[in-house]
Amino acid sequence: MSSNLGRFLDLADVGREGVLDLLKLALKLERQPDPQALAGKILGLVFLNPSLRTLASFQAGMARLGGTSFVITPGQGTWALETRMGVAMNGGAAEHIREGLPVLASYCDALGIRAFADGKDLAADLADQNFLAMAALVDKPLINLESAINHPCQALADWKTLDDVGVPTRAKFVLSWVNHPRALPLAVPAAVVHMAALRGHEVVVLRPEGYALPPEIIERARRAAAESGGSVTETSERAAALRGAHVVYAKEWGSTAHYGDATRDLELRAGLGDWQVREPWFSHAAPDCRLMHCLPVRRNVAVADEVLDGPRSLVLREAHNRLLVQIAVLHRLLARSST
Ligand code: CP
C-alpha cells in the first residue's frame, strides 16, 4: 500500500508485500511514535452495527497521530440511514446513504464504514454488494471497518499477533467453527482464512456439517496460499484437524447450508454444544498451541474460561494490535510523508 493510496478495504488488494510493509510501519510507529503526523486531519467513522474494539481503537489511533475523529451511529442521535436503493422512504429512515455518506465524507479527510451482512442472500453478501454501493458514494480515503464478507483490520492485527509470538509461516493454523446462540456473519472467517493462507500456513477449516465455508471463500484463500506456499483444506474431523496444530482460531458463523433461515440454523446448532474450545481440544496439538479469537467472545459457549484465561490465549494481544496496525493504516492513508 503506497502513501495516500486512498483505500483499505481488503488485504487481497494490499497484497503480501503491502501487508509486510504495513506491519513494518506499525512496529516502527510503536517504537517511535509520530504524534503530529495527522495534525488537523479528521476521520469520520460510520457504524451501522455495534462495536467496541473497532470504534475505540480507531478513535484512539487517530488521537495518537494528532488527528481527530467523529462517530456516527445512524438512528442513535443522528437520522436513521436508508441503505436500500430505489425504495420509497416511508419507513423509519429519514435520510438515504446517497446523501448522508457524501455529506459526511465532505466533513473529513478519511471515512471508515462498518456495515455487516444482511444475512439473507448469500450471493449478495459474498459480493459485498451493500458495502461496495456505499464505497461508491465516498470520494475520500475509505477504510473497511467490517463489511458483509471482510474485516481487513482484524486480519492485519491477527497477522501481527502471529509475528509477535513467533508463529512460523509454515505452522498448522486451524480455523474452527464454535457455537453461539445465533448465526453470525462470514466476514471474520473469510478474512482470517485468507490472511492465514497469504501468510503461508497449512490452513485447516474445521466445522460441523452445514457450516462449510462457501467455495468462493475457500478458492480465494487457495489462490493466496498458492502465492505463499501454504495450503487450505476443510474438514469436520476434529481430532485429525487439531493434531499437531500450532494455532486454533475460534470463530462463530451462521450455517451456509441454511443461510438466512434462522430457525433451521438454530435447530442445527442445538446439537452442537460441544463445539466449544476446551483444554482437551489441545491434547494432541503442538505443545505451545495458541488460541485466537477476534472478540467479542461468549465465554463458556464458544470458548471455555480455562482456555481464555490460560497461557494459550492471544485474544487481548490481538485486540491491542488492532490499535497498532490501524495507526499504520491511517499513517499510510493520510500522513504527508509516510515512510
Ligand atoms: N473484533 C472486532 O471487530 O471487535 P468489535 O466488533 O468490538 O469492533
Side-chain angles (χ1 to χ4, degrees):
M1 190 165 94
S2 60
S3 181
N4 298 322
L5 180 71
R7 301 211 149 188
F8 184 72
L9 306 185
D10 183 350
L11 279 201
D13 298 340
V14 177
R16 189 182 162 78
E17 291 310 311
V19 167
L20 296 177
D21 175 61
L22 276 172
L23 294 175
K24 197 169 141 197
L25 180 61
L27 210 55
K28 182 181 167 196
L29 292 171
E30 186 181 2
R31 290 174 181 156
Q32 290 171 258
D34 195 358
Q36 291 305 311
L38 301 191
K41 301 281 187 186
I42 301 170
L43 174 68
L45 295 163
V46 180
F47 282 89
L48 290 145
N49 307 96
S51 168
L52 184 149
R53 277 144 292 276
T54 308
L55 190 157
S57 58
F58 264 106
Q59 288 192 288
M62 204 57 192
R64 293 259 184 239
L65 291 166
T68 190
S69 54
F70 63 80
V71 177
I72 299 291
T73 49
Q76 295 174 42
T78 59
W79 305 117
L81 289 180
E82 177 60 67
T83 58
R84 296 167 300 164
M85 301 295 172
V87 295
M89 289 177 55
N90 51 14
E95 179 148 23
H96 202 280
I97 55 168
R98 289 183 73 89
E99 288 78 41
L101 289 178
V103 167
L104 291 171
S106 77
Y107 299 153
C108 59
D109 299 288
L111 198 68
I113 300 176
R114 167 167 282 197
F116 287 175
D118 282 343
K120 293 175 192 146
D121 178 344
L122 180 58
D125 287 341
L126 284 171
D128 232 353
Q129 275 180 3
N130 287 346
F131 185 84
L132 293 178
M134 291 185 214
L137 299 169
V138 176
D139 65 352
K140 292 282 171 68
L142 180 66
I143 303 170
N144 182 345
L145 307 181
E146 188 175 338
S147 62
I149 208 63
N150 219 322
H151 198 351
C153 299
Q154 184 64 51
L156 188 62
D158 290 337
W159 187 315
K160 175 167 168 30
T161 304
L162 292 163
D163 287 353
D164 287 353
V165 298
V167 175
T169 54
R170 291 290 178 260
K172 185 175 184 183
F173 183 104
V174 179
L175 169 65
S176 179
W177 185 89
V178 286
N179 211 347
H180 191 275
R182 61 186 175 82
L184 293 189
L186 290 164
V188 171
V192 164
V193 75
H194 177 265
M195 176 279 295
L198 191 62
R199 197 169 182 268
H201 291 292
E202 175 194 349
V203 182
V204 179
V205 180
L206 170 64
R207 80 302 184 265
E209 296 304 333
Y211 291 85
L213 289 182
E216 292 86 343
I217 293 175
I218 295 291
E219 284 312 315
R220 188 171 184 269
R222 284 193 174 135
R223 286 195 293 278
E227 189 187 322
S228 304
S231 62
V232 181
T233 57
E234 204 171 6
T235 182
S236 53
E237 298 297 323
R238 191 186 300 161
L242 295 175
R243 187 165 297 115
H246 298 89
V247 176
V248 174
Y249 196 114
K251 187 66 192 93
E252 315 80 352
W253 64 86
S255 168
T256 44
H258 304 293
Y259 199 80
D261 185 341
T263 308
R264 294 292 300 279
D265 186 295
L266 209 57
E267 285 166 6
L268 199 56
R269 69 181 58 230
L272 299 173
D274 69 321
W275 285 80
Q276 176 190 154
V277 181
R278 294 176 178 275
E279 198 49 38
W281 279 42
F282 298 93
S283 53
H284 298 291
D288 57 351
C289 182
R290 303 302 191 128
L291 180 278
M292 298 178 76
H293 189 286
C294 64
L295 302 181
V297 64
R298 300 266 182 153
R299 281 177 171 261
N300 306 311
V301 175
V303 185
D305 282 346
E306 71 210 27
V307 180
L308 282 169
D309 298 332
R312 301 183 187 286
S313 178
L314 295 176
V315 299
L316 296 182
R317 187 185 279 264
E318 289 173 83
H320 182 63
N321 277 335
R322 291 290 306 275
L323 171 65
L324 302 180
V325 300
Q326 288 159 198
I327 284 177
V329 169
L330 290 167
H331 202 280
R332 273 283 185 269
L333 290 177
L334 293 173
R336 223 167 247 115
S337 71
S338 188
T339 53

